[in-house]
Amino acid sequence: MLNEALDFRLLNDFQRDFPLCSAPFAELASRLGVAEAAVLRMLEGLRREGKIARVGAVFAPKRIGASMLAAMAVPPEKLAAAAEAVNRFPEVNHNYEREHR
């Protein structure tokens, strides 16, 4: 149960206001009351479980002047391959199947 609570805090508490410092994972660990290595293990576990794809910046489009939403019509039998190809790009911050065309 403790790991689930810490996982939830990692997923929820730091989506915004992620520490911008030379040792951000150590800062997260300090705020969570655990070791930095524990934070790194938790993040890797969340990545392996498919709960997160990456830890990285998402910039406010209106502040930097550019952003893109790309939509594709992909046959259901090719969806997994298309998602895998798109997710290879580190610039992609999320990718999901929509329920409508």
Side-chain angles (χ1 to χ4, degrees):
M1 184 63 83
L2 179 60
N3 281 348
E4 288 178 19
L6 285 173
D7 285 352
F8 177 81
R9 288 193 59 201
L10 268 176
L11 291 172
N12 191 62
D13 295 1
F14 303 109
Q15 288 186 45
R16 290 175 174 62
D17 300 322
F18 190 86
L20 299 177
C21 60
S22 62
F25 300 109
E27 177 63 27
L28 293 178
S30 175
R31 293 183 195 179
L32 293 170
V34 299
E36 181 179 16
V39 167
L40 295 172
R41 277 193 309 274
M42 286 186 289
L43 289 170
E44 177 56 24
L46 290 167
R47 188 198 60 76
R48 277 194 319 273
E49 293 170 14
K51 293 180 180 174
I52 61 173
R54 67 183 185 93
V55 174
V58 176
F59 298 98
K62 292 184 169 116
R63 290 189 181 173
I64 63 170
S67 181
M68 178 184 293
L69 167 74
M72 301 185 301
V74 178
E77 67 274 7
K78 295 186 178 183
L79 191 58
E84 186 178 327
V86 168
N87 289 339
R88 285 190 198 120
F89 292 90
E91 300 86 358
V92 173
N93 63 29
H94 63 279
N95 175 15
Y96 57 94
E97 179 181 8
R98 293 186 177 235
E99 296 177 358
H100 54 81
R101 186 151 175 83

